[in-house]
Amino acid sequence: MSTQPSLEDLRRYAVARTLFRPTTLPAAIQRLGFVQADPIRAPARAQDLTLRHRVKDYRAGDLERRYARLAIDEDCFVNYGFLPRAHLALMHPRQPKKTWNAETQRKAADVLAFVRERGVVHPREVEQHFAHGRVQNYWGGSSNASTQLLDGMHYRGLLRVKRRDSGTRVYEVATHPPADDSPTAGALRAAALLELILRKYAPLPAASLTYLARLLGYGAPHLAAQTQAALRLAREHLASCRIDGTTWYWPVDENPRSRRYAVDDSVRLLAPFDPVVWDRRRFALLWDWTYKFEAYTPPARRQYGYYALPMLWRDQVIGWANVSVRDGQPEATFGYVAGPAPKAAAFRNALDEELHRMELFLSPR
């Protein structure tokens, strides 16, 4: 009898390994390794929608409220988000691809001294003190120059986000442990970062693993060569199988066929950036349809909706929901991949329970 996992095994494994039993907020972030952030609230931010399935009694905004007391940081990884401080040390000191000119370096040094003197600063204070003016942003529009400089200083590891005030990042001077910059240490850091990716998103098709390794150029651009070397080594030593022409990878200490990866009868409305659905290539291979994030798609061209939440029932993503809040109550509209909603009473009951959980999640503390 074959010991190779089937596509059904991989689908069950992909769901069960990341939708673990709800735990504490610090433990959930540690286990996930990284939680992608997004500012859109529809009906809540992506980081909150991701954590609500994995943290006991989680409410929208809990991460922001508790952030300053947790050993986590906002920073860059494969995307921007939240990660344990120990993981941040793998990417700093970060060496950006684009170097600053002498004038920008001087401005950054002045701002750093200002932040060090004040302790904690809001971008508004920096602008009031330095009056840096306006600059062209990435999209061709105009942005506050002080805000852009602070973003650059944060990316370079000079500043860290202390907290947010009404959504705005408030900064303090960052401190990083001394780093070994030897070739061997760089190789070890790159391998550890690749391991974090695999632990978060496994099982991964080969093309997705390569893509995510390339995205590490955001969080660790200075480790690009080491990351590619780690990727080549990983392909040789990771657990893998080939199904219908696609090679899949997962950690060597996990078995996708194990009974430990059991799914329940729950319905879950997932964030567009939830680990279950983030990789659109993997999504299509596991569920045989294409989910699209359409918040930036013109309304007339949307197929699923502004902020469609993929609907997971058991180990099948059977459709999606768009959730809004009216008079303090969540309202949802649904779409299904294969015709109407399932008629089974088990599904209707599970969907009602998920909507009740959503109502509690959106209720204030």
Side-chain angles (χ1 to χ4, degrees), residues 39-46 49 272 306-309 321-325 362:
I40 297 175
R41 298 193 200 198
R45 294 188 177 101
L49 290 166
Y306 172 71
Y307 203 81
L309 306 177
N322 283 276
V323 181
S324 59
V325 179
L362 293 172

Side-chain angles (χ1 to χ4, degrees), residues 59-239:
R59 305 290 178 87
D62 277 358
L63 178 59
E64 186 171 319
R65 282 188 287 269
R66 296 182 56 190
Y67 170 83
R69 304 192 301 275
L70 300 174
I72 63 173
D73 271 279
E74 286 191 38
D75 209 281
C76 307
F77 183 45
V78 294
N79 297 106
Y80 188 83
F82 301 84
L83 66 167
R85 196 160 296 155
H87 297 170
L88 191 66
L90 296 171
M91 297 180 286
H92 284 280
R94 182 179 287 141
Q95 299 169 21
K97 296 177 182 178
K98 182 179 180 180
T99 59
W100 277 338
N101 59 31
E103 181 183 3
T104 305
Q105 291 181 33
R106 178 187 58 77
K107 289 179 179 179
D110 290 343
V111 171
L112 188 64
F114 178 77
V115 177
R116 185 173 284 113
E117 179 184 352
R118 297 289 183 96
V120 178
V121 301
H122 190 284
R124 183 175 54 248
E125 298 175 76
V126 176
E127 174 56 25
Q128 290 173 347
H129 186 82
F130 291 98
H132 290 131
R134 310 286 294 181
V135 293
Q136 186 178 33
N137 61 31
Y138 177 80
W139 297 274
S142 178
S143 295
N144 187 300
S146 293
T147 299
Q148 193 173 97
L149 180 62
L150 289 167
D151 286 346
M153 294 174 67
H154 177 213
Y155 181 74
R156 286 160 174 78
L158 301 173
L159 301 176
R160 70 174 295 270
V161 178
K162 172 68 174 178
R163 65 174 189 275
R164 283 184 180 252
D165 287 352
S166 301
T168 300
R169 286 178 286 197
V170 176
Y171 296 98
E172 66 179 358
V173 173
T175 57
H176 299 287
D180 181 350
D181 61 357
S182 68
T184 299
L188 291 173
R189 287 199 294 272
L193 290 168
L194 199 64
E195 176 76 6
L196 285 177
I197 285 175
L198 190 71
R199 293 284 175 184
K200 181 173 175 64
Y201 294 112
L204 277 169
S208 297
L209 179 60
T210 299
Y211 175 61
L212 280 159
R214 192 160 61 246
L215 288 183
L216 264 179
Y218 183 40
H222 53 294
L223 296 177
Q226 294 92 331
T227 298
Q228 288 306 307
L231 178 61
R232 290 192 293 270
L233 194 62
R235 290 195 188 104
E236 297 176 6
H237 297 288
L238 288 173

Side-chain angles (χ1 to χ4, degrees), residues 286-327:
L286 292 179
W287 289 291
D288 198 28
W289 64 281
T290 301
Y291 164 72
K292 298 177 182 178
F293 178 61
E294 299 177 321
Y296 302 107
T297 301
R301 293 169 50 194
R302 289 174 187 154
Q303 181 179 356
Y304 306 116
Y306 172 71
Y307 203 81
L309 306 177
M311 181 192 299
L312 176 71
W313 182 36
R314 297 172 177 163
D315 64 347
Q316 296 289 335
V317 183
I318 62 171
W320 61 93
N322 283 276
V323 181
S324 59
V325 179
R326 186 186 298 272
D327 298 327

